[in-house]
Amino acid sequence: MTRFALAALLLAAAAGPAAAQTPVHTPAPGPAPTTPTPAQDSAFVRQHYRKLDRQVPMRDGTKLYTVLYVPLDAAPGRRYPFLMTRTPYSAGPYGEENYRSRGPGPSRELSEEQYIFVYQDVRGRYQSEGQFEEMTPALPTAASNKARRRGPQGQLAPHDESTDTYDTIEWLLKNVPNNNGRVGIMGISYPGFYATASLPTAHPALKAVSPQAPVTDEFMGDDARHNGAFFLLDNFDFTNFFDVPRPQPVPKYEALFKAQPADAYQFFLNLGPLANANAPQYFNGRARIWNEYLQHDTYDAYWQARNIRPRLTGVRPAVLVVGGWFDAEDLFGALHTYKAIEQQNPGATNRLVMGPWTHGAWSRPDWTTFGPLNFGTNTAQYYRQTLETPFFNHYLKDKGAFNPAEATVFNTGTNAWQTYPAWPPKATAGRTAYAGAGGRLAFAAPAANEKPEEYVSDPAHPVPYTAGVADGRNNEYVIEDQRFAAQRPDVLVFQTEPLAEDLTVAGPLAADLWVSTSGTDADFVVKLIDVLPADAPAPVPNPDELLMGGYQRLVRAEVMRGRFRQSFEHPTAFVPNQPTEVKYELPDVLHTFKKGHRLMVQVQSTWFPLVDRNPQQFLNISTAKAADFQKATIRLYHDAAHPSGLTLPVVGP
């Protein structure tokens, strides 16, 4: 699922409390309710809510289209709080006679609790006025939150997403009767960014904010790039839907072009260099954000201005950050939003929930299984009932208690919720799994005389990110059996002996590679894998008749564009065939490798078409020609002077 697909999802949040640093049995939250039909949902909305469509003026005069669902029984003696979502994906349906068919709130649980639900098209999208900016840069000061329309000389007042949120809240409090003076904000993915953006210089009435899978820093680890490497598949698809010129407000966007390839791998090979995306049959120069992405190919002022983390200071509302361990888009955003708030706001109410979810899956009616994994309970419903709904009820209605652990996280190796008083857990010790001769992976440093491993990386035959043929992104690649990659000559494989005891890893991973290339640039993909024993049982249910013996289950993977190994602002070419250290961080995990399993690490230089191909020459990739893409011989060193390994934050022995 790409981030634009979340326009159709119900929002939600969280996980379950328990004793610190202990596994938690997840009790079933009662029988799963039958999923209502659209007609039933629509009837519920009309029977309990009145719909209002309004144009809300901002301080610079721009009007933002805002849709409200107000409980019919709202009265001076029965006042309700606001629960708002600001979105670039449409606040519709538009028109006061047209109601949402899936309930007024972001989840059925919250709809039944009753709030004044607010949906707003952000500046420059759909029916709102103004100019849209990708990840609108935050203003440098809080002065703009003064309730003024014009500057001292009559110029337009400065604005960003924080001020637009502030102005919207101010209007709601004054113009919507029978509110209780409190506001909550939530959103998944891009709407998660807008939730985060409400926190700097927040309106005093804003009491509870839940950024969920929030887009946070697009160059470092979210949708656009990871460590500088461009995420081709997602951005190509997203741009076609999202990056459409809009000279005036519109209720609906049309795609830039119509194409649905049956085989994404072959389609992007045929597409060739990135510059070909602007061919007449594709973007044809019309996609402004796509062009900005490619023009800014280092961590320059464009990207730094769109990194909201430094602005997350002085946070006053209670915060619940939510993410999924299997999120292929914004795993980075959830983890680093939580960490930025935690580090820059001592004493703030800031909690983290990480579940066994893909992008936004906690909002689905049921999330009991994913691929061959069976979690034994509906983790999405459990989260909404025990964390998300109580969070907003407590801070917006004074209803019930809300005192979960600092971090409620799902162990993807044991299928159990665990809680910690901090994340990452403080009681971890770094243990490095070193690559060695003959495909050995061990917790002992390599011998002095070991020779390097090598492979030929060929951009014309890149390593696929998933097995088989897919017409788009296969969401299950994040847990997929990696034997299809291990068999390739351009993938290095290292694994331990079977573990003598359980090994729990909790926190970020640190890759430290000593490499060389015959070219002047290269990408490196490091994958941490849980290898199941030969007698591993088949999943239940098992419609695909999978055999799990020897299954190489992907736990975490991340790419690093080698030119950024020393600086993301100032890239550096490799000296051909000279050993060079490449260090980078992989996103956090909470995973127990069970006794009898093996740890495996795979290293490769292509991951296609998830990531664009590196020409393996130090040049501008966005303007590269087909002839610029060349084979390169990559060497991975693992001797005493050049130890290559992956450092794991291990809990316990």
Side-chain angles (χ1 to χ4, degrees):
M1 180 191 312
T2 49
R3 54 177 168 159
F4 63 82
L6 291 179
L9 280 180
L10 305 177
L11 309 181
Q21 300 191 33
T22 56
V24 183
H25 172 65
T26 306
T34 303
T35 302
T37 66
Q40 290 171 327
D41 266 343
S42 182
F44 174 85
V45 181
R46 293 175 183 275
Q47 290 167 6
H48 294 87
Y49 289 87
R50 177 189 175 197
K51 183 173 185 281
L52 305 172
D53 286 33
R54 296 290 185 266
Q55 295 277 11
V56 176
M58 300 294 101
R59 65 191 59 190
D60 66 341
T62 299
K63 295 179 181 179
L64 304 188
Y65 201 100
T66 307
V67 175
L68 301 95
Y69 292 86
V70 181
L72 290 176
D73 62 354
R78 187 185 294 274
R79 298 180 182 273
Y80 289 99
F82 297 101
L83 186 53
M84 178 162 58
T85 296
R86 305 186 66 243
T87 178
Y89 301 135
S90 175
Y94 302 110
E96 293 187 349
E97 71 284 0
N98 298 318
Y99 281 61
R100 288 163 63 95
S101 63
R102 61 182 186 274
S107 72
R108 187 161 186 85
E109 290 86 351
L110 288 168
S111 294
E112 292 174 349
E113 280 289 338
Q114 291 198 294
Y115 289 79
I116 302 173
F117 294 106
V118 182
Y119 299 91
Q120 184 177 74
D121 288 337
V122 297
R123 184 181 291 256
R125 291 292 295 174
Y126 284 89
Q127 294 282 54
S128 284
E129 298 175 350
Q131 172 66 41
F132 178 79
E133 292 295 333
E134 172 75 353
M135 294 282 289
T136 309
L139 292 171
T141 69
S144 59
N145 261 348
K146 295 177 181 178
R148 55 185 172 85
R149 297 292 178 191
R150 298 274 176 178
Q153 282 77 46
Q155 74 271 21
L156 293 180
H159 58 82
D160 61 8
E161 300 306 336
S162 299
T163 68
D164 282 356
T165 307
Y166 189 102
D167 293 350
T168 299
I169 292 174
E170 191 77 2
W171 187 93
L172 291 171
L173 294 172
K174 293 177 180 178
N175 291 279
V176 181
N178 303 317
N179 71 79
N180 74 353
R182 300 187 195 182
V183 181
I185 294 179
M186 64 186 296
I188 299 175
S189 192
Y190 215 145
F193 160 73
Y194 294 107
T196 304
S198 72
L199 291 169
T201 60
H203 193 288
L206 184 59
K207 303 299 183 183
V209 177
S210 184
Q212 303 180 6
V215 184
T216 300
D217 189 337
E218 291 188 295
F219 190 90
M220 300 304 296
D222 282 318
D223 299 84
R225 297 176 184 264
H226 287 210
N227 295 312
F230 186 60
F231 265 50
L232 172 62
L233 176 59
D234 283 359
N235 282 286
F236 188 87
D237 289 347
F238 181 74
T239 295
N240 187 33
F241 156 81
F242 189 83
D243 199 5
V244 179
R246 191 206 73 156
Q248 61 187 18
V250 295
K252 183 180 179 181
Y253 289 81
E254 299 294 337
L256 288 169
F257 61 89
K258 298 187 183 301
Q260 184 59 52
D263 184 342
Y265 182 93
Q266 193 60 49
F267 172 84
F268 284 105
L269 271 184
N270 294 342
L271 179 69
L274 285 178
N276 292 350
N278 264 322
Q281 68 269 36
Y282 300 123
F283 300 144
N284 198 23
R286 296 169 293 169
R288 177 173 64 93
I289 298 170
W290 172 273
N291 292 336
E292 290 175 355
Y293 279 0
L294 298 189
Q295 177 186 354
H296 298 280
D297 62 346
T298 66
Y299 197 53
D300 60 10
Y302 175 88
W303 297 109
Q304 293 176 32
R306 286 160 174 76
N307 170 19
I308 197 170
R309 288 179 288 169
R311 290 280 285 125
L312 297 178
T313 60
V315 171
R316 296 188 300 270
V319 181
L320 182 69
V321 182
V322 184
W325 289 130
F326 307 139
D327 189 339
E329 297 171 49
D330 296 311
L331 173 60
F332 177 99
L335 293 166
H336 287 270
T337 295
Y338 167 78
K339 291 175 184 179
I341 295 172
E342 198 68 13
Q343 292 165 2
Q344 297 171 166
N345 300 272
T349 300
N350 177 41
R351 293 184 173 90
L352 175 69
V353 180
M354 296 297 298
W357 302 311
T358 57
H359 196 59
W362 51 91
S363 67
R364 298 189 182 188
D366 181 55
W367 194 260
T368 303
T369 63
F370 177 49
L373 306 182
N374 190 318
F375 310 120
T377 188
N378 184 347
T379 61
Q381 183 187 11
Y382 174 71
Y383 154 76
R384 293 193 300 270
Q385 290 184 352
T386 61
L387 283 169
E388 180 177 83
T389 303
F391 171 73
F392 286 113
N393 280 349
H394 176 75
Y395 288 107
L396 301 183
K397 291 185 172 184
D398 292 328
K399 178 180 178 179
F402 185 77
N403 191 31
E406 178 75 12
T408 305
V409 287
F410 193 86
N411 188 318
T412 57
T414 63
N415 273 3
W417 291 103
Q418 294 182 229
T419 60
Y420 293 93
W423 188 266
K426 297 183 183 299
T428 59
R431 294 185 65 189
T432 301
Y434 292 98
R440 185 183 73 254
L441 187 69
F443 291 105
N449 59 352
E450 292 189 359
K451 295 181 179 181
E453 312 295 327
E454 73 176 42
Y455 57 92
V456 175
S457 176
D458 183 359
H461 302 282
V463 180
Y465 79 97
T466 187
V469 175
D471 59 0
R473 192 219 300 146
N474 172 19
N475 267 359
E476 293 182 16
Y477 89 86
V478 294
I479 59 167
E480 191 171 3
D481 187 350
Q482 297 300 300
R483 282 180 285 194
F484 76 93
Q487 297 168 1
R488 289 180 59 109
D490 50 358
V491 177
L492 299 181
V493 179
F494 305 91
Q495 68 176 339
T496 66
E497 294 298 318
L499 296 174
E501 58 185 358
D502 289 356
L503 182 74
T504 298
V505 180
L509 314 174
D512 188 352
L513 308 179
W514 280 93
V515 295
S516 69
T517 173
S518 61
T520 52
D521 193 17
D523 291 349
F524 296 94
V525 178
V526 173
K527 299 186 289 193
L528 175 63
I529 294 162
D530 186 346
V531 183
L532 278 58
D535 60 353
V540 179
N542 190 17
D544 296 328
E545 299 182 351
L546 293 175
L547 299 176
M548 302 301 289
Y551 191 100
Q552 296 176 7
R553 175 184 166 186
L554 186 61
V555 174
R556 185 67 71 237
E558 188 58 287
V559 61
M560 175 73 182
R561 184 136 285 170
R563 64 177 62 193
F564 298 115
R565 66 195 180 280
Q566 296 175 352
S567 168
F568 289 103
E569 295 87 353
H570 305 289
T572 307
F574 286 82
V575 177
N577 301 313
Q578 177 177 298
T580 305
E581 190 173 26
V582 176
K583 300 175 68 172
Y584 67 102
E585 184 177 281
L586 283 71
D588 305 33
V589 302
L590 177 59
H591 187 86
T592 295
F593 296 83
K594 294 183 178 180
K595 178 181 178 180
H597 291 218
R598 299 173 187 258
L599 274 71
M600 176 182 286
V601 171
Q602 292 182 5
V603 180
Q604 59 199 59
S605 289
T606 48
W607 207 20
F608 190 76
L610 197 67
V611 175
D612 71 320
R613 296 173 301 151
N614 190 323
Q616 304 185 143
Q617 296 192 82
F618 188 74
L619 46 78
N620 187 331
I621 298 176
S622 65
T623 59
K625 304 293 192 294
D628 294 326
F629 290 77
Q630 298 182 1
K631 295 181 182 179
T633 298
I634 310 291
R635 292 189 177 92
L636 178 76
Y637 298 83
H638 47 76
D639 55 57
H642 308 97
S644 294
L646 184 65
T647 300
L648 314 173
V650 174
V651 178

Short mmCIF file of all heavy atoms in Angstrom, two decimals, residues 247-282:
data_model
loop_
_atom_site.label_atom_id
_atom_site.label_comp_id
_atom_site.label_asym_id
_atom_site.label_seq_id
_atom_site.Cartn_x
_atom_site.Cartn_y
_atom_site.Cartn_z
N PRO A 247 -4.70 24.22 -11.05
CA PRO A 247 -4.78 25.68 -11.11
C PRO A 247 -5.83 26.27 -10.19
O PRO A 247 -5.77 27.45 -9.87
CB PRO A 247 -5.10 25.95 -12.58
CG PRO A 247 -5.75 24.69 -13.07
CD PRO A 247 -5.11 23.58 -12.31
N GLN A 248 -6.81 25.47 -9.79
CA GLN A 248 -7.87 25.94 -8.91
C GLN A 248 -8.40 24.75 -8.11
O GLN A 248 -8.12 23.60 -8.44
CB GLN A 248 -9.00 26.57 -9.72
CG GLN A 248 -9.67 25.61 -10.68
CD GLN A 248 -10.68 26.31 -11.58
OE1 GLN A 248 -10.66 27.53 -11.72
NE2 GLN A 248 -11.58 25.54 -12.19
N PRO A 249 -9.15 25.02 -7.02
CA PRO A 249 -9.70 23.91 -6.22
C PRO A 249 -10.52 22.94 -7.07
O PRO A 249 -11.26 23.35 -7.96
CB PRO A 249 -10.57 24.62 -5.19
CG PRO A 249 -9.91 25.96 -5.02
CD PRO A 249 -9.42 26.33 -6.39
N VAL A 250 -10.34 21.65 -6.78
CA VAL A 250 -11.04 20.60 -7.52
C VAL A 250 -11.55 19.55 -6.54
O VAL A 250 -10.95 19.31 -5.50
CB VAL A 250 -10.11 19.92 -8.56
CG1 VAL A 250 -9.69 20.91 -9.64
CG2 VAL A 250 -8.88 19.33 -7.88
N PRO A 251 -12.67 18.89 -6.86
CA PRO A 251 -13.16 17.81 -6.00
C PRO A 251 -12.49 16.48 -6.28
O PRO A 251 -12.63 15.54 -5.50
CB PRO A 251 -14.65 17.76 -6.34
CG PRO A 251 -14.71 18.22 -7.77
CD PRO A 251 -13.63 19.25 -7.92
N LYS A 252 -11.76 16.39 -7.42
CA LYS A 252 -11.18 15.11 -7.81
C LYS A 252 -9.99 15.35 -8.71
O LYS A 252 -9.98 16.30 -9.50
CB LYS A 252 -12.22 14.25 -8.54
CG LYS A 252 -11.75 12.86 -8.93
CD LYS A 252 -12.86 12.10 -9.66
CE LYS A 252 -12.38 10.72 -10.08
NZ LYS A 252 -13.44 9.97 -10.81
N TYR A 253 -8.97 14.50 -8.58
CA TYR A 253 -7.80 14.57 -9.45
C TYR A 253 -7.81 13.41 -10.44
O TYR A 253 -8.25 12.31 -10.10
CB TYR A 253 -6.50 14.48 -8.64
CG TYR A 253 -6.19 15.71 -7.81
CD1 TYR A 253 -6.79 15.92 -6.57
CD2 TYR A 253 -5.27 16.65 -8.25
CE1 TYR A 253 -6.50 17.03 -5.80
CE2 TYR A 253 -4.96 17.77 -7.49
CZ TYR A 253 -5.58 17.95 -6.26
OH TYR A 253 -5.28 19.05 -5.51
N GLU A 254 -7.31 13.66 -11.63
CA GLU A 254 -7.10 12.60 -12.60
C GLU A 254 -5.60 12.29 -12.67
O GLU A 254 -4.76 13.17 -12.49
CB GLU A 254 -7.60 13.03 -13.98
CG GLU A 254 -9.08 13.34 -14.03
CD GLU A 254 -9.95 12.11 -13.80
OE1 GLU A 254 -9.45 10.98 -14.03
OE2 GLU A 254 -11.12 12.28 -13.40
N ALA A 255 -5.25 11.04 -12.93
CA ALA A 255 -3.85 10.65 -13.02
C ALA A 255 -3.17 11.35 -14.19
O ALA A 255 -3.81 11.72 -15.18
CB ALA A 255 -3.74 9.14 -13.17
N LEU A 256 -1.87 11.53 -14.07
CA LEU A 256 -1.11 12.15 -15.14
C LEU A 256 -1.09 11.27 -16.39
O LEU A 256 -1.06 11.78 -17.51
CB LEU A 256 0.32 12.43 -14.67
CG LEU A 256 0.47 13.58 -13.66
CD1 LEU A 256 1.87 13.58 -13.06
CD2 LEU A 256 0.19 14.91 -14.35
N PHE A 257 -1.06 9.96 -16.20
CA PHE A 257 -1.10 9.04 -17.33
C PHE A 257 -1.73 7.74 -16.86
O PHE A 257 -1.83 7.49 -15.65
CB PHE A 257 0.30 8.78 -17.91
CG PHE A 257 1.26 8.16 -16.94
CD1 PHE A 257 1.37 6.78 -16.81
CD2 PHE A 257 2.07 8.96 -16.14
CE1 PHE A 257 2.25 6.21 -15.90
CE2 PHE A 257 2.96 8.40 -15.23
CZ PHE A 257 3.05 7.02 -15.12
N LYS A 258 -2.14 6.91 -17.79
CA LYS A 258 -2.76 5.63 -17.45
C LYS A 258 -1.83 4.51 -17.88
O LYS A 258 -1.52 4.35 -19.05
CB LYS A 258 -4.12 5.49 -18.13
CG LYS A 258 -5.12 6.55 -17.69
CD LYS A 258 -6.50 6.29 -18.25
CE LYS A 258 -7.47 7.39 -17.87
NZ LYS A 258 -7.61 7.56 -16.42
N ALA A 259 -1.37 3.74 -16.88
CA ALA A 259 -0.51 2.59 -17.15
C ALA A 259 -0.56 1.67 -15.95
O ALA A 259 -0.46 2.11 -14.81
CB ALA A 259 0.93 3.04 -17.41
N GLN A 260 -0.76 0.41 -16.19
CA GLN A 260 -0.75 -0.59 -15.14
C GLN A 260 0.07 -1.79 -15.62
O GLN A 260 -0.47 -2.74 -16.18
CB GLN A 260 -2.17 -1.03 -14.78
CG GLN A 260 -2.23 -2.01 -13.60
CD GLN A 260 -1.62 -1.43 -12.34
OE1 GLN A 260 -1.97 -0.34 -11.92
NE2 GLN A 260 -0.68 -2.15 -11.74
N PRO A 261 1.40 -1.73 -15.45
CA PRO A 261 2.22 -2.83 -15.95
C PRO A 261 1.95 -4.13 -15.21
O PRO A 261 1.68 -4.14 -14.00
CB PRO A 261 3.65 -2.33 -15.69
CG PRO A 261 3.51 -1.36 -14.56
CD PRO A 261 2.18 -0.69 -14.75
N ALA A 262 2.00 -5.22 -15.93
CA ALA A 262 1.80 -6.52 -15.30
C ALA A 262 3.02 -6.94 -14.51
O ALA A 262 2.92 -7.68 -13.54
CB ALA A 262 1.47 -7.57 -16.37
N ASP A 263 4.19 -6.48 -14.92
CA ASP A 263 5.46 -6.86 -14.30
C ASP A 263 6.24 -5.59 -14.02
O ASP A 263 6.84 -4.99 -14.92
CB ASP A 263 6.24 -7.77 -15.25
CG ASP A 263 7.53 -8.30 -14.65
OD1 ASP A 263 8.01 -7.72 -13.66
OD2 ASP A 263 8.07 -9.29 -15.19
N ALA A 264 6.22 -5.13 -12.76
CA ALA A 264 6.88 -3.87 -12.41
C ALA A 264 8.39 -3.95 -12.64
O ALA A 264 9.00 -2.96 -13.07
CB ALA A 264 6.58 -3.51 -10.96
N TYR A 265 9.00 -5.09 -12.35
CA TYR A 265 10.44 -5.23 -12.53
C TYR A 265 10.81 -4.98 -13.99
O TYR A 265 11.70 -4.18 -14.30
CB TYR A 265 10.87 -6.64 -12.10
CG TYR A 265 12.36 -6.92 -12.19
CD1 TYR A 265 13.18 -6.73 -11.08
CD2 TYR A 265 12.94 -7.39 -13.36
CE1 TYR A 265 14.55 -7.00 -11.15
CE2 TYR A 265 14.30 -7.66 -13.44
CZ TYR A 265 15.09 -7.48 -12.33
OH TYR A 265 16.45 -7.75 -12.40
N GLN A 266 10.11 -5.60 -14.90
CA GLN A 266 10.42 -5.44 -16.32
C GLN A 266 10.05 -4.05 -16.81
O GLN A 266 10.76 -3.45 -17.63
CB GLN A 266 9.70 -6.51 -17.15
CG GLN A 266 10.20 -6.61 -18.58
CD GLN A 266 11.68 -6.97 -18.64
OE1 GLN A 266 12.12 -7.92 -17.98
NE2 GLN A 266 12.45 -6.21 -19.41
N PHE A 267 8.95 -3.51 -16.29
CA PHE A 267 8.54 -2.16 -16.70
C PHE A 267 9.62 -1.14 -16.39
O PHE A 267 9.96 -0.31 -17.24
CB PHE A 267 7.24 -1.78 -15.99
CG PHE A 267 6.83 -0.34 -16.20
CD1 PHE A 267 6.12 0.04 -17.33
CD2 PHE A 267 7.17 0.64 -15.27
CE1 PHE A 267 5.77 1.36 -17.54
CE2 PHE A 267 6.81 1.97 -15.48
CZ PHE A 267 6.10 2.32 -16.61
N PHE A 268 10.18 -1.19 -15.18
CA PHE A 268 11.17 -0.19 -14.81
C PHE A 268 12.52 -0.45 -15.45
O PHE A 268 13.27 0.50 -15.71
CB PHE A 268 11.27 -0.08 -13.28
CG PHE A 268 10.11 0.65 -12.67
CD1 PHE A 268 9.11 -0.04 -11.99
CD2 PHE A 268 10.01 2.02 -12.79
CE1 PHE A 268 8.04 0.64 -11.44
CE2 PHE A 268 8.93 2.71 -12.25
CZ PHE A 268 7.94 2.01 -11.56
N LEU A 269 12.83 -1.71 -15.76
CA LEU A 269 14.02 -1.96 -16.57
C LEU A 269 13.86 -1.33 -17.95
O LEU A 269 14.78 -0.68 -18.48
CB LEU A 269 14.27 -3.46 -16.71
CG LEU A 269 15.13 -4.15 -15.66
CD1 LEU A 269 15.33 -5.62 -16.04
CD2 LEU A 269 16.49 -3.47 -15.50
N ASN A 270 12.69 -1.51 -18.53
CA ASN A 270 12.44 -0.94 -19.85
C ASN A 270 12.40 0.59 -19.81
O ASN A 270 12.77 1.25 -20.79
CB ASN A 270 11.12 -1.47 -20.43
CG ASN A 270 11.16 -2.96 -20.71
OD1 ASN A 270 12.24 -3.56 -20.80
ND2 ASN A 270 10.00 -3.58 -20.84
N LEU A 271 11.94 1.14 -18.70
CA LEU A 271 11.89 2.59 -18.57
C LEU A 271 13.28 3.19 -18.69
O LEU A 271 13.46 4.26 -19.29
CB LEU A 271 11.27 2.98 -17.23
CG LEU A 271 11.18 4.48 -16.93
CD1 LEU A 271 10.17 5.15 -17.85
CD2 LEU A 271 10.82 4.72 -15.47
N GLY A 272 14.28 2.50 -18.12
CA GLY A 272 15.64 2.98 -18.22
C GLY A 272 15.97 4.02 -17.17
O GLY A 272 15.41 4.02 -16.08
N PRO A 273 16.87 4.97 -17.47
CA PRO A 273 17.29 5.98 -16.50
C PRO A 273 16.13 6.82 -15.99
O PRO A 273 15.08 6.94 -16.64
CB PRO A 273 18.29 6.84 -17.29
CG PRO A 273 18.78 5.95 -18.38
CD PRO A 273 17.62 5.07 -18.74
N LEU A 274 16.32 7.44 -14.82
CA LEU A 274 15.27 8.23 -14.19
C LEU A 274 14.76 9.34 -15.11
O LEU A 274 13.57 9.67 -15.09
CB LEU A 274 15.79 8.85 -12.89
CG LEU A 274 15.94 7.94 -11.68
CD1 LEU A 274 16.51 8.73 -10.51
CD2 LEU A 274 14.60 7.33 -11.29
N ALA A 275 15.64 9.91 -15.89
CA ALA A 275 15.23 11.01 -16.75
C ALA A 275 14.12 10.62 -17.71
O ALA A 275 13.32 11.47 -18.15
CB ALA A 275 16.44 11.53 -17.54
N ASN A 276 14.00 9.33 -18.03
CA ASN A 276 12.97 8.88 -18.97
C ASN A 276 11.57 8.97 -18.39
O ASN A 276 10.58 8.86 -19.13
CB ASN A 276 13.26 7.45 -19.40
CG ASN A 276 14.50 7.34 -20.27
OD1 ASN A 276 15.06 8.35 -20.69
ND2 ASN A 276 14.96 6.12 -20.52
N ALA A 277 11.46 9.15 -17.07
CA ALA A 277 10.12 9.31 -16.48
C ALA A 277 9.44 10.57 -16.98
O ALA A 277 8.21 10.69 -16.92
CB ALA A 277 10.22 9.33 -14.96
N ASN A 278 10.21 11.53 -17.50
CA ASN A 278 9.62 12.75 -18.04
C ASN A 278 9.36 12.66 -19.54
O ASN A 278 9.15 13.68 -20.20
CB ASN A 278 10.52 13.95 -17.73
CG ASN A 278 10.07 14.67 -16.47
OD1 ASN A 278 8.87 14.80 -16.23
ND2 ASN A 278 11.02 15.12 -15.66
N ALA A 279 9.34 11.43 -20.06
CA ALA A 279 8.96 11.24 -21.46
C ALA A 279 7.51 11.67 -21.65
O ALA A 279 6.71 11.69 -20.71
CB ALA A 279 9.14 9.77 -21.83
N PRO A 280 7.12 12.00 -22.89
CA PRO A 280 5.75 12.48 -23.14
C PRO A 280 4.66 11.54 -22.65
O PRO A 280 3.60 12.00 -22.21
CB PRO A 280 5.71 12.64 -24.66
CG PRO A 280 7.13 12.90 -25.04
CD PRO A 280 7.96 12.07 -24.10
N GLN A 281 4.87 10.23 -22.71
CA GLN A 281 3.82 9.30 -22.30
C GLN A 281 3.72 9.14 -20.79
O GLN A 281 2.80 8.49 -20.30
CB GLN A 281 4.03 7.92 -22.95
CG GLN A 281 5.26 7.15 -22.47
CD GLN A 281 6.49 7.42 -23.30
OE1 GLN A 281 6.70 8.55 -23.75
NE2 GLN A 281 7.30 6.39 -23.51
N TYR A 282 4.67 9.76 -20.06
CA TYR A 282 4.63 9.67 -18.59
C TYR A 282 4.44 11.06 -17.99
O TYR A 282 3.43 11.71 -18.24
CB TYR A 282 5.88 8.95 -18.07
CG TYR A 282 6.01 7.54 -18.62
CD1 TYR A 282 7.14 7.14 -19.32
CD2 TYR A 282 4.98 6.62 -18.46
CE1 TYR A 282 7.25 5.86 -19.83
CE2 TYR A 282 5.06 5.34 -18.97
CZ TYR A 282 6.20 4.96 -19.66
OH TYR A 282 6.29 3.70 -20.17
#
